[in-house]
Structures are given as structure tokens and as C-alpha cells.
């Protein structure tokens, strides 16, 4: 097709109409003779222009109307079209099968969009405490769960998620097992725990079945009815050893709990209720790795009942196991059982608190009364903002420590954490943990 030349104005005066643009290859160059423009000629020119405009729209306009996202009267809505394009695109907006062949293909000369990054995991604040038992060593009740936890309710309720080790059977029935200490409290204690701000309890310990495994189903029902998540125990081994899911502030947290101290007859079996007991740490590591591989959780917390009772210093075994759990995918490992404060350690992007000591406990021994409240944040960049508030147990009831009690507990926290290479400073009555 010959290339069109631009129109140019008609030479010479044309009256009140001004310059009339016409195609020069269709008209001669006009001389001084005046041409009369009649209404009929004006109408003819207008019709020609109108027909030309319609043809241009038919040729080019409809072609553009069928671009992705254009409204052309199609029965497929824009949202459906978008969803269809998303399915074709594949992971992270990349090309899936057939990419580049349809509307989603990059057109020549089009700017390439940078690949979208996965959404960051929400930040979750965590609080954790040690052993909770509502009875003293002489098998006398210390009081109701609500009364015993009242003084710490503001601190326990402040975090998005609060965890504790429930080291007592909740039952009014059953028979005491053949062991030195057997502890139990009413089923109503479940309401007191939840009311105080505790969200997750581990029952993977050596007192959960002090009055027989037959009592456990009723306890599990009571705890869950109160709104608590129960880790480390269940109606069978699979339930006891599986991660329990907690949803908080848009994050899914998986909580696993295991005991290495529990009497073997407390262990859940394929057909009997019980707790998650094993002395084979490889089983725990495998459970953590499976939870991580499932991609069901933003964060994974492991609660462990382990170590040597009465020791302030965590054992080599504890350290080796905790490192393996974090290597397998855990974000934090929280320990109990020694009835003493043991150190806090950063490992890679995770956190290990080897033992939080007691929390509600009926003992008059000074060492048994020294404990702490752990706080930290799970973030997309790893565990951050790790602090500890020294706590003293007064007649079974935990209270924020002060005076000489605070000094002694703060010194234990600093000394035991230094053993694991974790520096500690103190500000506003709390311990702040730095990285190695």
C-alpha cells in the first residue's frame, strides 16, 4: 500500500470557513479562481470522514478490545480471567506448563515485572513458664489454679501465646501410682489455667498420669473445653507425638512436646492414652523434620522434659539434642524438669531455654522457689527480643521478684546463660539476652 502523505491546507482564500484540509493527490493546485463550497459538498466530506473513522475502529479498536482484562461483553468475568491466568503462571508468577503461549506471555518490548517475594511470616510474641503443680510434696492442695496464678495474670496474658508445663494430673478419681510423689487437682483447674492467660500446656512429663492413664481422656476434654491446647499427650501415640496447631495473629504455630523422664508405663501406645515419651532423641528430631517438611506451620516450638533434677547447668546431651531440633526446623526449644533455672542460648536463628525451673510449686526450699518468666518474639528473621523477668514462688504462688530475691535470681540467670555463651544485661528489672 502506498504511504499516505500528510494533508496540507488549501492555498488561497476560502471565505469564512478558514483553511480546508484535503488530500493533495485528489485535487489540483488551485489558482486565483474561487471555488464555491456548497452545503452538499460539506455533507459529502463529512460522510467520507465518518466512514473512514468507522473502518479504522473496526480494524484497530476491536483488536485492542480483546486484550486480557478488556471488557468486551464476554461471559467470563475479569476475576475469572485473572484466576485462570494465575493458574497458568505457576509458582511465584513464573511460567508453568504452556507459559509464553497465551495472554500471560511477555509481549515483545514489554517491561518485565520482578518476581514477587514470598510473604514474610507474621511476628508472634511468646511467653513461657516452667512446672505448674497445685499440690505440695506432702500431697496438700495449694489452692485453686485461679488463686495461685492471679498475681501473674497480667504478664501471662500480655503475650500472643503463653506456654507452660502442667506437671499434675487433673482428676478426682483413679488410683495413685506406685511412685514417691503423686499429684492431682480438680478438672476445674483447666478453667483457672485458661483464665490466667495460659494457652498451651505440655503434659509430656512424669506426673501427668499419677492417677492412671484411664483418667487422661476426661482431662484432655476439660483442658480443650477451657480453650487450652494440649501438647505431648493424647488418646494414642500418634496423637501424643503429633504437633498441635495454634493460630495467632495470622501465624500457624506447631507445638511438639516430649519427655525423656516419664516412667515407661506412662507412654501412649497405638491403642492406649498416654504421653509422648522416648529416650531416643532421633525420634524427636524426625518429628520436628516432618512438621517442617509439611509446610503447615510458620513456626515450630518444641517443649522438652529432660535434664538432671537439681542441676543448674544443662547437660551435653541436652545441648546436642536442642541443636539437632533447631537444625531440623524448630524455632525454639523450651525445657523443664530440673526444678532449677538453666541457661538461655541462641543457636543459629533459634532459641533454647534449657530449663525454666518451677512456676507454681509447693516447696519452701530457696532454690526451688527461684524461677523466671521467659518472653521472646518469633519473627521472619528468627527469634528476637529475648527477655526474662525474675520470679519468686511465695507459698506456692509465683510473684515478680524484688530486693535480694531479684538479685539472686538475676545472678543465676546471668551465670547459667554465660555457660552457653549468651551475654546478659539487665534493664527495668528484666534480663536482656544478647547474641554470642
Amino acid at each position: 500500500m502506498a504511504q499516505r502523505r500528510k494533508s496540507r491546507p488549501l492555498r488561497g482564500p476560502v471565505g469564512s470557513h478558514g483553511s480546508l484540509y484535503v488530500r493533495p493527490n485528489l485535487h489540483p493546485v488551485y489558482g486565483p479562481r474561487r471555488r464555491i463550497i456548497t452545503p452538499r459538498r460539506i455533507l459529502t466530506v463529512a460522510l467520507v470522514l465518518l466512514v473512514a473513522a468507522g473502518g479504522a475502529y473496526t480494524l484497530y479498536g476491536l483488536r485492542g478490545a480483546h486484550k486480557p482484562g478488556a471488557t468486551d461483553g464476554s461471559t467470563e468475568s475479569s476475576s475469572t480471567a485473572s484466576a485462570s491466568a494465575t493458574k497458568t503462571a505457576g509458582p511465584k508468577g513464573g511460567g508453568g506448563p504452556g507459559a509464553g503461549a497465551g495472554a500471560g506471555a511477555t509481549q515483545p518490548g514489554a517491561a518485565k515485572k520482578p518476581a514477587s517475594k514470598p510473604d514474610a511470616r507474621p511476628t508472634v510474641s511468646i511467653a513461657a513458664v516452667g512446672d505448674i503443680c497445685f499440690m505440695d510434696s506432702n500431697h496438700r492442695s495449694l489452692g485453686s489454679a485461679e488463686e495461685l496464678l492471679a498475681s501473674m495474670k497480667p504478664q501471662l496474658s500480655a503475650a500472643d501465646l503463653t506456654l507452660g508445663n502442667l506437671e499434675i494430673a487433673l482428676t478426682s478419681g483413679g488410683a495413685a501410682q506406685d511412685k514417691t510423689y503423686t499429684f492431682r487437682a480438680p478438672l476445674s483447674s483447666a478453667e483457672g489455667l485458661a483464665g490466667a492467660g495460659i494457652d498451651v500446656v505440655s503434659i509430656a512429663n512424669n506426673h501427668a498420669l499419677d492417677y492412671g492413664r484411664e483418667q487422661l481422656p476426661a482431662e484432655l476434654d476439660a483442658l480443650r473445653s477451657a480453650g487450652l491446647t494440649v501438647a505431648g499427650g493424647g488418646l494414642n501415640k500418634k496423637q501424643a507425638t503429633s504437633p498441635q496447631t495454634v493460630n495467632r495473629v495470622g501465624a500457624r504455630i506447631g507445638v511438639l512436646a516430649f519427655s525423656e523422664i516419664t516412667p515407661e508405663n506412662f507412654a501412649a501406645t497405638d491403642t492406649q492414652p498416654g504421653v509422648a515419651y522416648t529416650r531416643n532423641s532421633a525420634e524427636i528430631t524426625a518429628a520436628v523434620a516432618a512438621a517442617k517438611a509439611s509446610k503447615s506451620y510458620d513456626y515450630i516450638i518444641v517443649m522438652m522434659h529432660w535434664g538432671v533434677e537439681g542441676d543448674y547447668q544443662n547437660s551435653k546431651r541436652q545441648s546436642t539434642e536442642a541443636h539437632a531440633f533447631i537444625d531440623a526446623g524448630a524455632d525454639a526449644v523450651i525445657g523443664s524438669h530440673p526444678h532449677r533455672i538453666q541457661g538461655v542460648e541462641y543457636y543459629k536463628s533459634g532459641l533454647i531455654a534449657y530449663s525454666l525451673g518451677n512456676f507454681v510449686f509447693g516447696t519452701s526450699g530457696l532454690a526451688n522457689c527461684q524461677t523466671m518468666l521467659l518472653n521472646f518474639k518469633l519473627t521472619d528473621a528468627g527469634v528476637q527480643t529475648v527477655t526474662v523477668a525474675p520470679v519468686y514462688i511465695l507459698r506456692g504462688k509465683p510473684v515478680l521478684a524484688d530486693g535480694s530475691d531479684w538479685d539472686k535470681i538475676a545472678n543465676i540467670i546471668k551465670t547459667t546463660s554465660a555457660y552457653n555463651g549468651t551475654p546478659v544485661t539487665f534493664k527495668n528489672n528484666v534480663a536482656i539476652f544478647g547474641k554470642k
Side-chain angles (χ1 to χ4, degrees):
M1 182 182 291
Q3 184 177 359
R4 296 180 180 178
R5 289 182 296 171
K6 293 183 179 179
S7 301
R8 64 180 180 179
L10 181 68
R11 303 291 184 183
V14 290
S16 61
H17 296 287
S19 298
L20 179 65
Y21 284 80
V22 295
R23 292 174 60 184
N25 61 327
L26 300 180
H27 297 275
V29 178
Y30 297 101
R33 181 182 175 183
R34 299 180 63 183
R35 171 166 293 204
I36 299 174
I37 301 176
T38 65
R40 182 176 179 179
R41 287 178 175 172
I42 294 174
L43 179 61
T44 301
V45 171
L47 288 172
V48 169
L49 293 176
L50 182 62
V51 170
Y57 173 78
T58 302
L59 180 61
Y60 298 106
L62 292 181
R63 181 183 299 173
H66 285 280
K67 290 182 180 179
T71 302
D72 59 358
S74 170
T75 56
E76 180 181 41
S77 68
S78 59
S79 61
T80 305
S82 174
S84 176
T86 301
K87 290 179 182 179
T88 304
K92 297 185 180 180
T106 303
Q107 300 298 324
K112 292 183 179 180
K113 295 182 179 180
S116 58
K117 295 182 179 179
D119 293 337
R121 296 176 293 175
T123 295
V124 186
S125 61
I126 305 292
V129 297
D131 301 335
I132 299 172
C133 181
F134 307 122
M135 184 175 279
D136 66 17
S137 57
N138 293 315
H139 300 94
R140 294 176 301 197
S141 173
L142 298 171
S144 70
E146 182 179 6
E147 295 168 342
L148 293 167
L149 291 165
S151 60
M152 293 298 296
K153 181 177 179 177
Q155 290 76 22
L156 297 172
S157 302
D160 296 322
L161 188 67
T162 300
L163 309 96
N165 177 51
L166 182 60
E167 197 157 19
I168 186 171
L170 299 189
T171 181
S172 298
Q177 301 299 290
D178 184 17
K179 52 202 299 278
T180 304
Y181 298 107
T182 53
F183 302 127
R184 68 176 173 181
L187 288 171
S188 59
S189 302
E191 295 287 348
L193 287 163
I198 294 176
D199 305 295
V200 178
V201 292
S202 168
I203 61 170
N205 57 61
N206 54 313
H207 288 287
L209 300 185
D210 276 357
Y211 281 79
R213 69 172 75 238
E214 296 80 9
Q215 309 305 311
L216 185 57
E219 177 180 339
L220 294 173
D221 287 344
L223 290 167
R224 290 165 181 159
S225 294
L228 292 155
T229 297
V230 185
L235 299 181
N236 51 56
K237 184 176 181 179
K238 183 177 180 180
Q239 287 185 11
T241 58
S242 295
Q244 302 302 304
T245 305
V246 188
N247 295 296
R248 286 293 187 279
V249 294
R252 285 172 62 85
I253 303 109
V255 183
L256 288 156
F258 289 88
S259 176
E260 296 181 344
I261 307 299
T262 303
E264 291 189 22
N265 64 334
F266 279 19
T269 70
D270 291 339
T271 58
Q272 292 180 305
V275 304
Y277 165 76
T278 181
R279 292 285 295 172
N280 182 0
S281 64
E283 293 182 11
I284 304 172
T285 304
V288 175
K292 184 70 174 179
S294 73
K295 298 185 179 181
S296 299
Y297 308 103
D298 294 295
Y299 303 105
I300 298 171
I301 298 174
V302 180
M303 301 178 72
M304 288 298 300
H305 207 65
W306 59 359
V308 180
E309 190 169 335
D311 278 8
Y312 286 100
Q313 184 172 301
N314 53 279
S315 67
K316 178 64 175 176
R317 177 188 173 97
Q318 287 172 271
S319 179
T320 300
E321 290 181 353
H323 291 180
F325 301 157
I326 291 178
D327 287 338
D331 296 279
V333 180
I334 310 298
S336 60
H337 175 67
H339 302 295
R340 299 288 186 275
I341 293 171
Q342 292 182 347
V344 172
E345 178 187 7
Y346 283 103
Y347 176 70
K348 296 185 176 179
S349 61
L351 176 73
I352 306 161
Y354 285 102
S355 174
L356 300 183
N358 299 319
F359 192 67
V360 176
F361 218 77
T363 179
S364 58
L366 178 62
N368 288 328
C369 294
Q370 296 168 330
T371 184
M372 62 187 191
L373 169 70
L374 174 70
N375 283 279
F376 59 93
K377 290 183 178 179
L378 296 172
T379 79
D380 193 51
V383 172
Q384 296 182 359
T385 320
V386 183
T387 63
V388 157
V391 174
Y392 187 78
I393 301 172
L394 183 63
R395 292 186 290 277
K397 180 184 295 186
V399 296
L400 291 175
D402 58 10
S404 62
D405 291 325
W406 189 94
D407 293 335
K408 292 172 183 175
I409 298 169
N411 184 59
I412 295 170
I413 294 168
K414 184 173 184 178
T415 303
T416 57
S417 296
Y419 170 76
N420 293 291
T422 307
V424 181
T425 57
F426 294 91
K427 184 177 181 180
N428 297 329
N429 294 326
V430 299
I432 302 171
F433 297 87
K435 296 195 174 181
K436 301 176 185 178

